[in-house]
Amino acid sequence: MTSIDIDVVVIGGGQAGSAAGYYLRRAGHRFVILDDQPKAGGAWPHTWPSLRLFSPAEFAALPGWPMPPWPDGFPPASHVVDYLTAYEKRYDLPIERPARVTGVARDGQHLVVTTNQRTWRARRVISATGTWQQPFWPIYPGSREFTGRQLHTVDYREASDFTGARVVIVGGGNSAAQLVAEISTEATTMWVTARPPRFLADDVDGRVLFTVASERAAAIAAGKPDPGGPASLGDIVMVPEVREARDRGVLRPLPMFDRLTRDGVAWGITVQHADAIVWATGFRPALTHLRPLRLREHDGTIAVAGTMALKEPRLHLLGYGDWTGPGSATLLGVGRAAKAAVAQLALSD
């Protein structure tokens, strides 16, 4: 297996890796982006076809080049894939795919990145693998006894798969609300959430959420009191389909059930039949490739200063959530985090 020396290895070729590549190119680094997917787009080609962004296209862009507009303002996943494909071509990003990273280890002054094809000796590594490959499945009593179908959002494709069924959708975020809106056109749905969901006003979208999240993060970083705010990235944006579902009266959340039964879910002695359960319960950071470095904290994250790992300063983490930069798991927010990460590389040289 050949070994190549290089300045920076970026692991992951989705939106976070592409944003990092943009700033690495501008800074003059010798770098490569290793992506385990067969084509561009990161996680977006794997989402259900009707999934929409909750920001208009012009406010969901990576650095340097706006996303082309979409007629009704909220682009579907396919539009994002087309944009990311064109983006990496526009900036001639050096991406190798499919290249599956099996581990990152220390080797003197370098970090060694091992793939299924070759090894890379890098002065710095940016991990940008996201969360899609680590869906979170909560454990509830009776999970193994339930005889119906259970799937996570990563497995969902279309509402017609549930025609005529009784379906429970679990989760209180934007994905869950969009799934309730869609599946309820073909099936009887029950929506259960761990806490009451917050619905934003019809004229509030992802632009407002990201601005509020950024202002709160900046205040906290400066040692100021948390200013709070009317919205957060966990609140539900009223995209057209969700508004229509609200008007149909199907967005009626129930408290989280206590357990699963053989053929349904139960709250105490109250049991409701269900043919399927869709877990829209989020994701965890996909960090298995960093296991040899032994960096993870008890909550599954890695302690960072900005984007730099505290226990391994040659490693930066990008795009996993607010702990790697305000809104860094979003198309709009990851550009700011990527810029900061590449700036930190220069400071540590």
Side-chain angles (χ1 to χ4, degrees):
M1 183 177 289
T2 59
S3 179
I4 302 175
D5 283 17
I6 201 163
D7 290 344
V8 184
V9 169
V10 179
I11 305 173
Q15 61 196 42
S18 294
Y22 173 85
Y23 285 110
L24 289 167
R25 176 75 81 200
R26 286 184 56 180
H29 289 282
R30 291 176 56 248
F31 70 99
V32 66
I33 300 173
L34 305 177
D35 188 28
D36 67 355
Q37 299 301 303
K39 59 183 180 180
W44 290 100
H46 305 287
T47 65
W48 62 96
S50 61
L51 176 66
R52 285 177 177 260
L53 295 180
F54 53 81
S55 294
E58 60 268 31
F59 293 94
L62 293 180
W65 186 42
M67 181 183 291
W70 186 255
D72 69 359
F74 296 92
S78 60
H79 189 65
V80 181
V81 173
D82 291 344
Y83 169 67
L84 293 175
T85 302
Y87 187 91
E88 64 180 48
K89 292 179 180 177
R90 180 185 182 92
Y91 294 109
D92 192 25
L93 299 180
I95 301 179
E96 287 206 358
R97 62 166 57 97
R100 181 174 58 86
V101 173
T102 57
V104 180
R106 300 177 179 91
D107 182 15
Q109 298 301 310
H110 293 81
L111 292 175
V112 175
V113 180
T114 303
T115 76
N116 56 322
Q117 300 169 344
R118 59 178 63 87
T119 61
W120 299 82
R121 297 177 72 251
R123 295 172 58 249
R124 302 285 187 272
V125 170
I126 297 176
S127 183
T129 49
T131 62
W132 185 259
Q133 296 181 29
Q134 291 291 328
F136 173 64
W137 294 73
I139 299 175
Y140 277 86
S143 294
R144 294 184 178 180
E145 284 71 40
F146 180 66
T147 57
R149 182 183 178 192
Q150 294 190 63
L151 64 157
H152 195 275
T153 48
V154 295
D155 307 306
Y156 174 76
R157 301 312 298 165
E158 58 186 25
S160 61
D161 292 338
F162 303 99
T163 301
R166 292 179 60 86
V167 182
V168 176
I169 295 97
V170 182
N174 281 285
S175 292
Q178 290 190 30
L179 289 177
V180 173
E182 182 166 313
I183 295 173
S184 63
T185 63
E186 295 281 348
T188 300
T189 56
M190 288 181 288
W191 183 22
V192 299
T193 64
R195 60 187 61 86
R198 286 178 51 178
F199 299 97
L200 297 174
D202 288 4
D203 60 348
V204 173
D205 58 34
R207 293 169 293 181
V208 175
L209 302 187
F210 181 73
T211 298
V212 170
S214 297
E215 291 173 350
R216 294 182 69 184
I220 294 169
K224 300 177 181 178
D226 185 346
S232 77
L233 288 172
D235 293 336
I236 294 172
V237 178
M238 305 306 288
V239 297
E241 293 83 357
V242 175
R243 289 200 303 269
E244 188 272 337
R246 176 197 61 195
D247 295 342
R248 282 192 286 118
V250 298
L251 290 183
R252 296 189 296 267
L254 299 170
M256 192 64 204
F257 48 75
D258 302 320
R259 67 190 188 278
L260 287 74
T261 66
R262 278 185 55 82
D263 61 356
V265 295
W267 297 260
I269 61 173
T270 301
V271 179
Q272 290 284 349
H273 173 74
D275 300 299
I277 300 174
V278 181
W279 297 91
T281 45
F283 301 82
R284 296 293 183 263
L287 300 173
T288 304
H289 57 290
L290 300 178
R291 187 174 295 162
L293 299 176
R294 299 180 181 272
L295 303 175
R296 296 182 75 158
E297 303 294 323
H298 68 278
D299 63 356
T301 66
I302 293 174
V304 294
T307 61
M308 183 180 68
L310 290 176
K311 296 178 183 177
E312 177 46 79
R314 295 169 294 186
L315 172 70
H316 290 255
L317 295 109
L318 182 62
Y320 295 98
D322 286 350
W323 61 280
T324 55
S328 72
T330 66
L331 282 156
L332 179 62
V334 75
R336 299 185 190 184
K339 184 177 183 179
V342 174
Q344 280 189 298
L345 293 183
L347 291 173
S348 60
D349 285 343

